[in-house]
Amino acid sequence: MFRLVFSSLLAALTISFAAHAEEINVSGSTSVARVMDVIAEDYNSTHPESYIAVQGVGSTAGVTLVKKGVAEIGMSSRYITEGELSGSDLIIHTFAYDGLAVVVNHANPVEDLSRQQLFDIYKGKITNWTQIGGADKPIAVVTREAASGSRYSFETLLGLTRVIKGKQVSDINPTNLVVNSNSMVKTIITNNPHAIGFVSEGSVDRSVKELKFEGVEATPKTIASGEYKLARPFIILYKEQNITEDALGFVTFIKSNRAKELITQYGYTPTKK
């Protein structure tokens, strides 16, 4: 009876405490959200006065939500554009780097792609695996949605863009299959032996086969050194006039040695600062 009453009181206190904790909204890149969830969980366990809520809604949406004051902290897996920076007073911090892994089905014999080969695949100039040492099968090319930071970085790094009326836009083959997450890319490739796509390095698992790019394997060392050329930043951003003291405490934690340990454990490369 005592245990039952004690457990009930403890549960009630926990619910009451959680209800009074200040919720801090961190929104943006789905790739960044994967490691941010882990950092937030660790922070929440030792800071009961606040609760970090992470939402993966895309890099572009994350920047917009911060600028509109809806989210205190944004996440981006691409560099912030000049248009987004203009008149925004955004504070920006790069806390990690991530490789963009080019992935195929395990049954695919191809091991390495050059920059030109990958460019031509996404432009629709290379359409059959025999053209790059594979089987005589058409290539099923998978990409991400237009608002994805992963797609923006991938296309920018490979030169798969063009400028129309002063704005940088995608210039890939319009018949490429578009999906809205790393997990969807992996699911398609797992079920289609002739598919190719790109995902965050931290999302690579045994379900897919990662290719070398220009003869270089993506590792924390090659990403940090710049040797692996398909790498992009993991960024947090906020507006100084809109952020609370509790939210700033979380920003400080993201820069801590503990957060760097978690970033490394999950396959990403933390920055030194």
Side-chain angles (χ1 to χ4, degrees):
M1 179 66 180
F2 175 77
R3 288 182 179 178
L4 180 60
V5 172
F6 180 76
S7 297
S8 299
L9 285 171
L10 183 61
L13 284 170
T14 301
I15 293 170
S16 175
F17 199 81
H20 288 89
E22 180 191 352
E23 182 170 298
I24 297 165
N25 186 287
V26 183
S27 298
S29 164
T30 55
S31 295
V32 180
R34 184 175 183 272
V35 69
M36 192 63 71
D37 273 328
V38 177
I39 297 172
E41 184 179 355
D42 193 271
Y43 184 83
N44 286 336
S45 68
T46 56
H47 294 77
E49 71 282 356
S50 61
Y51 179 76
I52 310 299
V54 180
Q55 295 180 314
V57 294
S59 295
T60 301
V63 176
T64 300
L65 290 173
V66 169
K67 291 177 72 174
K68 290 184 174 181
V70 177
E72 287 194 67
I73 301 172
M75 303 176 289
S76 177
S77 56
R78 60 166 173 79
Y79 290 107
I80 311 304
T81 67
E82 288 186 12
E84 290 169 333
L85 285 171
S86 179
S88 63
D89 299 323
L90 290 174
I91 305 295
I92 296 166
H93 174 69
T94 300
F95 70 93
Y97 288 98
D98 176 39
L100 284 169
V102 181
V103 291
V104 296
N105 189 281
H106 282 288
N108 195 319
V110 174
E111 300 289 340
D112 187 6
L113 288 176
S114 68
R115 177 180 293 275
Q116 189 63 52
Q117 287 172 330
L118 193 56
F119 176 92
D120 287 345
I121 288 171
Y122 274 83
K123 286 287 287 184
K125 296 179 180 179
I126 292 178
T127 59
N128 193 292
W129 284 108
T130 55
Q131 295 173 265
I132 47 176
D136 186 11
K137 296 291 181 180
I139 302 174
V141 185
V142 185
T143 189
R144 290 287 304 279
E145 75 280 11
S148 163
S150 297
R151 175 171 170 173
Y152 180 94
S153 294
F154 181 81
E155 292 179 353
T156 301
L157 289 166
L158 284 174
L160 289 164
T161 62
R162 56 179 171 157
V163 177
I164 297 179
K165 295 181 178 179
K167 185 178 180 181
Q168 180 176 299
V169 298
S170 174
D171 194 31
I172 62 173
N173 187 343
T175 65
N176 294 346
L177 178 62
V178 179
V179 299
N180 63 4
S181 68
N182 286 312
S183 59
M184 281 298 297
V185 175
K186 292 189 293 183
T187 297
I188 290 171
I189 287 172
T190 299
N191 290 283
N192 186 341
H194 314 304
I196 186 171
F198 57 89
V199 297
S200 167
E201 181 65 30
S203 295
V204 176
D205 56 29
R206 294 181 181 180
S207 68
V208 293
K209 171 183 168 182
E210 183 176 0
L211 302 183
K212 292 179 181 179
F213 178 67
E214 293 278 317
V216 179
E217 183 180 351
T219 66
K221 183 178 179 180
T222 59
I223 291 170
S225 68
E227 186 181 0
Y228 185 75
K229 299 300 182 182
L230 284 180
R232 41 76 178 272
F234 273 9
I235 290 171
I236 54 170
L237 56 134
Y238 59 91
K239 296 186 76 170
E240 192 169 18
Q241 64 268 36
N242 292 346
I243 196 166
T244 63
E245 191 173 326
D246 285 335
L248 278 174
F250 182 58
V251 170
T252 299
F253 181 74
I254 292 171
K255 302 175 183 180
S256 70
N257 289 333
R258 172 57 182 164
K260 292 182 192 301
E261 290 175 8
L262 295 170
I263 292 165
T264 302
Q265 287 174 18
Y266 276 77
Y268 303 103
T269 304
T271 55
K272 292 181 180 179
K273 293 185 179 180

